[in-house]
Amino acid sequence: MVSRVIPVDPFDLVIFGGTGDLARRKILPGLYRRYQAGQMPEEARIIAAARSDHDDAEFRDIARAAIEEFIPEGKRDAASLDEFIERLSYVAIDATGDDGWAPLSEKMREGMIRAFYFSVAPSLFGPIAERLHQHGIAGPDSRIVVEKPFGRDLASARKLNQTLAQHFDETQIYRIDHYLGKETVQNLMAVRFGNVLFEPLWNAQYVDHIQITVAETVGVDGRGAYYDKSGAMRDMVQNHLMQLLCLIAMEPPSRFDPDAVRDEKLKVIRALEPVEPYQIVRGQYEAGGGQPSYRDHAENPRSLTESFVAMKINVSNWRWAGTPFYLRTGKRLKARTSEIAVVFKDAPHSIFGAEAGRHRNILTIRLQPNEGMMLGVTIKEPGPGGMRLVDVPLDMTFADALGPEAEDVPDAYERLIMDVIRGNQTLFMRGDEVEAAWAWTDPIIQAWEERDDAPKPYDPGTSGPEDAQMLMHREGRRWREIRD
Ligand code: NAP
């Protein structure tokens, strides 16, 4: 099966923070892969901007080293890498000063799409937006890409939206949530809205509950100081898990277009009930396996920041009344996995008797590792011996179904950057969505802060604090096992 790659129009992409960690790990390797795939046109140019003094040659060495580090040897070739590197240049700019903007302006070509990736600390988003405007570098057709975190509460997100809105129209602003760029996440929409099978069952009448798990094995390590001001709720739930919940819970949009999709997601966020304290478990990892505890990582012996959170959320609308969503995310857990499980209800009556046991259909949507979907169905166990039932997976792992090319699906960042160039905002968060998500999150965090709520300790390599299990057990449900 041959996938079609349609080249995008020629562009000038400026990466502010082009020498930083994100640029080196994701953005530059991603752009190289799109070049290799024939999606980035010959005329495209990438300009990195950061404070340090580098000339083009030095930056190209940085970019080459990054690509060699983050793309396996078998997946790159010298000729295309040389060609790609030639398309890179560098400008030294202090985002908060006046130097460097004139040289950047001179580099920009007429007649090209202009995109500006803000891969810098959020405090610099405003100053960059302002200067791009002041120096006449960005015009009404330019696009800006804004990284996370987008604010740390409703007030700061609103302020950031207002600052960006002074210089850019909403149609020019691309707020990244890289979870939305994942192949499976988009496939979730294809499966829901491209088939008649699922949608009739996709409601409280047939779905018992939904679980969303994003588990990491790493701790906060070198990011301790940053993370300690954030925590799992701000860092993961308000954005990534909330976006996944929206895609599962939303009504079918009338069209697959940016505002139709985002309107539906916004309605979901607005339908979330406030979460009561007993519906949330916060956790913090202890030392173990030769690794320090969260508090040591954060260099804050009295830290009350959570590295784990599990919660039950009710979506208050006709479709979902009575079907809870359980969300869970944490660091230093037993495996690295991101998964959504739609757990359907039991058949209304078992004709096979009690000895056949309890069987449920579960649709599992796996974001990592091994992106794919699996539908658990109940069949008869083969052989004599009566009607014994067994659950087997109908496996929709893309690589198996679509051939080896499906294994090589673009990374989320690659896809999203190409969407920016195409001017397609469907997979980016709109300003009102981000604010609505903070409006829901803020009271939860404020309640913790007011009560000096201490997270429950948990051992590394586990599924989190015991109380998180209880969150489900007391309602006769259980979490799916966290495994690779
Ligand atoms: P980083 O490694 O600290 O890099 C920051 C970049 O910004 C460097 O290129 C730095 O170069 C440049 N910079 C710093 N101050 C500047 C200034 N005043 N003017 C111009 N350039 C300046 O940060 P990062 O990890 O790449 O993160 C970048 C953004 O992406 C942040 O918003 C972060 O929250 C977000 N993000 C990162 C990741 C990740 O995995 N790294 C994941 C999700 C989101 P100079 O020091 O030479 O100026």
Side-chain angles (χ1 to χ4, degrees), residues 16-26 49-52 54 90 93-96 118-122 124-125 128 147-149 178 226 413:
F16 290 97
T19 53
D21 179 63
L22 183 68
R24 286 185 301 101
R25 278 192 312 111
K26 292 288 180 188
R51 271 173 318 183
S52 308
H54 294 295
Y90 184 84
I93 289 186
D94 181 348
T96 56
F118 295 5
S119 182
V120 288
L124 300 179
F125 295 169
I128 294 176
E147 260 302 333
K148 82 169 218 189
H178 69 275
Y226 157 77
Y413 278 92

Side-chain angles (χ1 to χ4, degrees), residues 115-399:
F116 302 92
Y117 199 130
F118 295 5
S119 182
V120 288
S123 58
L124 300 179
F125 295 169
I128 294 176
E130 196 181 324
R131 282 164 180 75
L132 283 174
H133 195 73
Q134 250 172 27
H135 293 268
I137 300 172
D141 296 329
S142 304
R143 289 130 213 203
I144 59 169
V145 184
V146 185
E147 260 302 333
K148 82 169 218 189
F150 198 91
R152 66 183 319 275
D153 53 20
L154 176 58
S156 54
R158 200 173 265 164
K159 193 154 174 273
L160 188 49
N161 273 333
Q162 285 163 354
T163 306
L164 297 180
Q166 284 169 15
H167 309 291
F168 295 93
D169 186 74
E170 182 63 35
T171 56
Q172 297 178 274
I173 305 172
Y174 292 73
R175 295 174 193 79
I176 282 228
D177 186 317
H178 69 275
Y179 273 60
L180 294 180
K182 287 182 182 287
E183 184 73 17
T184 342
V185 170
Q186 290 161 71
N187 220 343
L188 169 60
M189 286 189 272
V191 164
R192 265 194 77 184
F193 305 129
N195 297 284
V196 291
L197 279 184
F198 296 102
E199 204 47 31
L201 306 179
W202 208 261
N203 55 51
Q205 197 182 343
Y206 294 104
V207 178
D208 179 74
H209 72 278
I210 285 147
Q211 301 186 18
I212 303 179
T213 298
V214 176
E216 296 177 280
T217 49
V218 292
V220 293
D221 304 357
R223 295 171 65 224
Y226 157 77
Y227 190 93
D228 205 43
K229 295 196 203 77
S230 166
M233 190 73 179
R234 287 191 172 97
D235 193 49
M236 297 297 291
V237 177
Q238 183 274 343
N239 40 48
H240 306 314
L241 278 83
M242 186 63 61
Q243 289 295 318
L244 298 179
L245 183 153
C246 284
L247 293 177
I248 293 278
M250 72 182 185
E251 295 300 315
S254 57
R255 294 174 308 281
F256 189 59
D257 87 9
D259 277 330
V261 171
R262 298 185 300 177
D263 285 347
E264 295 307 335
K265 281 161 55 194
L266 180 61
K267 283 188 215 159
V268 173
I269 302 174
R270 289 187 174 152
L272 301 182
E273 284 180 12
V275 179
E276 301 295 332
Y278 69 87
Q279 295 174 320
I280 305 195
V281 177
R282 306 169 75 216
Q284 197 183 64
Y285 62 81
E286 295 288 325
Q291 296 284 329
S293 68
Y294 173 82
R295 288 172 186 217
D296 286 339
H297 268 146
E299 293 176 19
N300 177 2
R302 278 193 287 280
S303 173
L304 296 178
T305 302
E306 75 287 354
S307 60
F308 174 97
V309 64
M311 61 176 72
K312 175 184 170 186
I313 300 180
N314 293 316
V315 182
S316 194
N317 61 21
W318 273 52
R319 185 185 282 264
W320 294 115
T323 291
F325 285 66
Y326 295 92
L327 271 49
R328 152 179 83 154
T329 181
K331 295 192 177 291
R332 300 278 278 136
L333 297 178
K334 66 199 286 195
R336 175 170 180 260
T337 178
S338 299
E339 179 187 279
I340 303 168
V342 180
V343 182
F344 290 92
K345 290 189 171 169
D346 293 351
H349 165 70
S350 172
I351 63 169
F352 305 110
E355 64 278 12
R358 188 180 189 190
H359 296 273
R360 280 188 158 181
N361 301 117
I362 301 179
L363 177 68
T364 315
I365 301 135
R366 229 172 202 242
L367 281 65
Q368 68 187 16
N370 313 325
E371 287 198 58
M373 292 195 201
M374 224 160 53
L375 179 64
V377 289
T378 303
I379 60 166
K380 178 187 169 299
E381 198 175 289
M387 188 60 93
R388 287 194 310 267
L389 302 186
V390 61
D391 293 333
V392 295
L394 278 184
D395 195 336
M396 297 177 269
T397 306
F398 310 129

